[in-house]
Amino acid sequence: MESRLFVALLLLCLAAESCYGGVLFSSLPRTLEITASPQQGQVLRAGEDRITVSWGFNQSVQASDESYKRVKVSLCYAPVSQVDRGWRKTVDNLSKDKTCQFTIVERAYDASVRNHIYEWMIEKDVPEATYFVRVYAYNSAGEEVAFGQTTDVKKKSDLFEIRGISGRHLSLEIASVCFSAFSVASLFGFFLIEKSKAKGFSKN
Amino acid sequence: MDVESAAVESQAPKFALPVDSEHKATEFRLFSVAAPHMRAFHLSWISFFCCFVSSFAAPPLLPIIRDNLNLTATDIGNAGIASVTGAVFARLAMGTACDLFGPRLASASLILLTAPAVYFTSIASSSISFLLVRFFTGFSLATFVSTQFWMSSMFSAPVVGTANGVSGGWGNLGGGATQLIMPLVFALIVNIGAVEFTAWRIAFFIPALFQMLSAFAVLTLGQDLPDGNFKKLQKSGDKEKDKFSKVFYHGITNYRGWILALTYGYCFGVELTIDNIIAEYFYDRFNLKLHTAGIIAASSGLANLFARPGGGIISDAVAKRFGMRGRLWALWLVQTLGGLFCILLGRVDSLSASIVVLIVFSVFVQTACGLTFGVVPFVSRRSLGVISGMTGGGGNVGAVLTQLIFFKGSKYSKETGITLMGIMIICCTLPIMLIYFPQWGGMFCGPSQNISSEEDYYLSEWNSQEREKGLHQGSLKFAENCRAERGKVKGFNSDEAQSTNIE
């Protein structure tokens, strides 16, 4: 009776997990090796600099890459850039995890190639923050089954910074200043007109 | 006698709407734009709407702005508080400015002086500059006071609640509309080809331009009073220029103004707090997309289309039968019910129930706002602007306090904060029971036993020297026109006392 209850509970948990589609990050084996071109502490510029990533299956690990069908390499926030920013929070359930928000490359997994290389121009919508690079392997059902990352488990080493674009342009600044000046000047213009009208009225 | 009155009549302008002895309209015709009454109505609500759009233009674009400016959650929270803090004193100052210079110049000045803050949002580059632009943009919310003052100057007692409610409600609508407008404008600009971090900056020019244009419209098309503008009337001697110190003194020494300031903090202040926190609440608690959370947040603000005007209409309708006592009872009842629904909002667990309770709660709270400004026009005649400003400012103080106590940091979860806010609403609404008008009564007491009339109440704001100079004439006319606030009680027929219409 108790064992049946236990099995039912276990099945329920597994069913719940698949219902919520949440693969837990802590359950993934680190079987992929990945390196990225930025050095520790290097500062790159969004929209200008490039990152070269190279990844491959770690042959020395006791695992098989048969189930790997797709691979996605992402740019992920380091803990220092997640402080007081709930929208970048790391959560174990990968369907709710917000650590990695920018995709560098996503493609089918090719087991015959030992080392994949990809060069990525840092897009202009990448914000200013500290990052590392992570790669996920997906099975045919689209679930994460393995990962690799450029930093250590605590996410403290080999982090690099990206300086975002400001989004400001000289034309915007000039327009802002001109319209603001016009706004204030037109107010005083109206005052003068009102005054002269009132003077004219009282003269009459 | 006829010739004399004919001469007087030919000097007095003809109005499209029926008016009372002060030339205030006794009817409210929504779809008319006739000068000066209905035109003033449309100018005031549209300019106030534009200010609300500008003040709350940032929240829907925060996901982009926070990445561009590297903001933390604390920075965002502080900017939100700053956006409603500026208006606390601005509203009081605006009230005084209206009393002294007229609502037309006062509101247009504020709008044109805060438009630069909206333009400069486009070039914000850090959390500090972001906080500063939100702070200064928030000053424009003081146009609420000029809106209410203008309506109270243009519309007579039987319809003043309706006029105040509709103009205030449709202006507040801007807070909801902006949650839909800004993402749309942003998406359009991105489509044209701008980078995201530039597109949001360009998007801010839209609310800024509309704000500026609305001020131009107010200046060129509006007038302060049915008979003309303040300056013109002051020069011709029809309106006396009042002293700031006197106006201010009579405003702040009227205890009713302080009570209404407190209670308004717990209907309007709560509405502003909800504007700032509710999208995030739904996003976090129910794991919605930001887009969906924004739509739910907008729907709360969009209830202003009918809820606040409804409050004004209810106030006027209740006053027909029960006079001022009815207005006070209605206000207390609706606001207390709003508090109860707020407590409920923090406690419901399902998404659909939460949305329903949110909308019902928003309707009650916004109706209470409309009901408040059904009472405000009667608290003082000489210092109408200061009282409106105190009440309006009190609304913003409520928003600042509530966000500081319940929604800053992680002391309370948002749902607990919302429940506690509901309890605070109920407690802070109780003081309405203390409001007493000697000529009309209060919630629990009837009018004063010593025969006290409207004239006694309003003329007490003028001393004998001022009365000798005839400065109190406006208050005298007003006193005559609000006799209907006695309600239909036995032995008194309000129809007899109402002034005849001047066509």
Side-chain angles (χ1 to χ4, degrees):
Chain A
M1 175 61 180
E2 278 166 30
S3 60
R4 252 187 266 174
L5 200 64
F6 176 77
V7 168
L9 214 62
L10 193 66
L11 283 171
L12 196 67
C13 285
L14 289 170
E17 203 185 68
S18 59
C19 270
Y20 284 116
V23 174
L24 299 179
F25 180 71
S26 45
S27 69
L28 296 181
R30 188 172 175 171
T31 56
L32 297 169
E33 287 283 313
I34 181 167
T35 53
S37 54
Q39 305 293 323
Q40 152 77 20
Q42 187 178 348
V43 178
L44 302 158
R45 289 158 301 176
E48 286 177 39
D49 292 328
R50 291 165 190 275
I51 296 179
T52 308
V53 291
S54 62
W55 72 94
F57 183 70
N58 187 351
Q59 303 291 345
S60 54
V61 162
Q62 296 263 16
S64 146
D65 62 350
E66 266 181 48
S67 57
Y68 302 178
K69 294 289 177 264
R70 287 195 72 77
V71 137
K72 182 160 94 171
V73 182
S74 306
L75 194 64
C76 308
Y77 291 110
V80 65
S81 289
Q82 292 173 304
V83 169
D84 203 12
R85 292 177 176 88
W87 58 91
R88 295 178 184 171
K89 206 162 157 203
T90 297
V91 171
D92 205 20
N93 183 338
L94 283 173
S95 64
K96 298 198 173 136
D97 180 48
K98 300 214 169 90
T99 318
C100 304
Q101 294 188 12
F102 301 97
T103 304
I104 293 176
V105 62
E106 190 176 352
R107 51 162 78 138
Y109 181 73
D110 193 348
S112 58
V113 179
R114 269 206 73 179
N115 207 26
H116 300 79
I117 298 179
Y118 186 80
E119 196 189 34
W120 183 65
M121 160 79 95
I122 304 174
E123 275 152 26
K124 286 188 176 172
D125 61 354
V126 174
E128 181 153 328
T130 309
Y131 297 89
F132 62 94
V133 180
R134 185 181 281 173
V135 56
Y136 285 112
Y138 295 83
N139 62 14
S140 48
E143 291 167 346
E144 297 86 348
V145 288
F147 82 102
Q149 61 190 28
T150 56
T151 182
D152 58 5
V153 174
K154 288 209 164 63
K155 296 185 276 185
K156 291 246 161 75
S157 66
D158 291 318
L159 305 172
F160 56 94
E161 280 175 46
I162 293 181
R163 191 167 300 153
I165 62 165
S166 74
R168 293 167 61 173
H169 287 279
L170 186 63
S171 51
L172 263 179
E173 298 190 17
I174 294 176
S176 287
V177 171
C178 285
F179 276 103
S180 302
F182 176 66
S183 184
V184 177
S186 60
L187 178 65
F188 287 106
F190 270 113
F191 278 150
L192 289 172
I193 296 176
E194 288 279 311
K195 241 188 167 155
S196 61
K197 259 197 207 156
K199 272 203 189 119
F201 184 76
S202 63
K203 272 187 191 152
N204 288 349
Chain B
M1 197 59 187
D2 274 339
V3 175
E4 232 180 77
S5 61
V8 167
E9 290 286 7
S10 62
Q11 274 177 17
K14 285 200 191 301
F15 296 110
L17 276 75
V19 294
D20 64 13
S21 66
E22 287 179 285
H23 294 173
K24 292 186 187 178
T26 53
E27 270 177 38
F28 180 77
R29 287 190 203 147
L30 190 56
F31 297 108
S32 151
V33 284
H37 308 97
M38 291 315 299
R39 188 171 295 183
F41 164 75
H42 288 294
L43 287 170
S44 66
W45 84 257
I46 289 175
S47 55
F48 182 41
F49 177 92
C50 291
C51 292
F52 240 100
V53 169
S54 301
S55 298
F56 292 99
L61 295 182
L62 269 174
I64 315 294
I65 300 177
R66 69 192 177 195
D67 276 343
N68 193 186
L69 302 183
N70 207 8
L71 303 175
T72 62
T74 307
D75 293 331
I76 295 173
N78 286 341
I81 293 175
S83 70
V84 292
T85 308
V88 172
F89 294 104
R91 285 182 164 203
L92 189 52
M94 176 60 100
T96 320
C98 283
D99 280 324
L100 299 174
F101 307 114
R104 186 177 143 261
L105 282 178
S107 67
S109 304
L110 180 67
I111 294 173
L112 287 174
L113 289 173
T114 50
V118 191
Y119 286 118
F120 284 138
T121 311
S122 301
I123 55 179
S125 57
S126 64
S127 58
I128 296 189
S129 53
F130 182 65
L131 184 131
L132 284 173
V133 290
R134 281 215 76 189
F135 175 67
F136 286 112
T137 305
F139 275 61
S140 67
L141 291 179
T143 41
F144 166 73
V145 175
S146 57
T147 301
Q148 303 293 284
F149 182 98
W150 210 356
M151 295 300 95
S152 305
S153 308
M154 285 284 181
F155 291 91
S156 186
V159 289
V160 74
T162 305
N164 277 345
V166 183
S167 61
W170 288 11
N172 276 20
L173 211 56
T178 194
Q179 314 258 9
L180 299 171
I181 293 174
M182 292 307 283
L184 214 69
V185 172
F186 171 75
L188 241 124
I189 298 174
V190 167
N191 252 351
I192 292 178
V195 167
E196 280 187 359
F197 286 176
T198 303
W200 77 263
R201 296 172 183 278
I202 301 175
F204 266 85
F205 273 83
I206 303 296
L209 276 168
F210 275 107
Q211 193 174 315
M212 206 169 73
L213 292 173
S214 69
F216 292 158
V218 164
L219 283 172
T220 53
L221 299 171
Q223 71 185 51
D224 295 309
L225 293 167
D227 292 329
N229 287 317
F230 265 42
K231 243 195 164 67
K232 174 170 145 259
L233 294 174
Q234 281 164 1
K235 285 247 171 348
S236 69
D238 285 329
K239 177 169 169 48
E240 284 301 320
K241 204 168 174 184
D242 209 343
K243 273 174 83 178
F244 164 72
S245 51
K246 291 275 176 167
V247 163
F248 195 66
Y249 173 77
H250 284 292
I252 59 170
T253 52
N254 195 326
Y255 76 92
R256 301 168 194 84
W258 291 104
I259 294 181
L260 288 173
L262 173 65
T263 63
Y264 197 59
Y266 285 91
C267 57
F268 180 63
V270 161
E271 184 190 329
L272 286 183
T273 303
I274 292 286
D275 273 343
N276 266 338
I277 63 126
I278 203 71
E280 238 189 317
Y281 171 70
F282 274 88
Y283 181 78
D284 289 334
R285 189 151 188 218
F286 301 103
N287 292 314
L288 302 173
K289 289 199 279 258
L290 198 73
H291 178 66
T292 316
I295 293 179
I296 298 175
S299 66
S300 156
L302 291 176
N304 265 305
L305 182 67
F306 58 88
R308 197 180 170 122
I313 293 171
I314 292 173
S315 190
D316 288 336
V318 166
K320 272 207 191 96
R321 181 84 207 280
F322 300 107
M324 175 54 70
R325 295 182 73 181
R327 293 187 194 263
L328 291 170
W329 267 100
L331 173 57
W332 177 81
L333 205 62
V334 170
Q335 191 157 319
T336 304
L337 283 171
L340 284 169
F341 280 106
C342 190
I343 296 175
L344 190 61
L345 179 64
R347 299 185 72 85
V348 287
D349 274 326
S350 82
L351 175 61
S352 36
S354 281
I355 295 177
V356 171
V357 175
L358 172 69
I359 293 180
V360 173
F361 154 71
S362 299
V363 169
F364 272 89
V365 143
Q366 289 161 16
T367 306
C369 293
L371 285 161
T372 307
F373 277 84
V375 174
V376 164
F378 299 99
V379 171
S380 163
R381 181 66 189 86
R382 186 174 191 182
S383 311
L384 170 64
V386 175
I387 299 287
S388 299
M390 280 163 68
T391 310
N396 280 61
V397 171
V400 171
L401 273 177
T402 317
Q403 283 176 91
L404 273 176
I405 300 174
F406 301 125
F407 298 105
K408 188 176 158 130
S410 352
K411 186 163 181 209
Y412 301 108
S413 68
K414 283 221 163 56
E415 45 267 36
T416 312
I418 290 175
T419 303
L420 292 174
M421 183 166 74
I423 297 176
M424 198 157 179
I425 293 173
I426 296 180
C427 295
C428 292
T429 309
L430 291 171
I432 294 176
M433 299 179 175
L434 301 173
I435 296 182
Y436 181 75
F437 289 89
Q439 71 276 30
W440 299 317
M443 271 175 76
F444 297 111
C445 309
S448 163
Q449 294 301 329
N450 320 329
I451 300 170
S452 188
S453 70
E454 288 79 6
E455 279 80 2
D456 291 336
Y457 180 76
Y458 291 109
L459 293 186
S460 64
E461 294 180 316
W462 304 90
N463 62 31
S464 46
Q465 292 158 315
E466 290 162 337
R467 283 187 228 187
E468 265 171 47
K469 286 191 214 164
L471 298 174
H472 63 296
Q473 292 298 330
S475 293
L476 206 57
K477 283 188 193 159
F478 181 72
E480 216 180 294
N481 286 323
C482 60
R483 265 205 240 295
E485 295 305 310
R486 294 189 193 180
K488 284 189 167 53
V489 290
K490 37 187 191 278
F492 175 71
N493 186 356
S494 58
D495 291 331
E496 280 174 3
Q498 261 178 14
S499 310
T500 50
N501 292 343
I502 301 175
E503 288 295 354

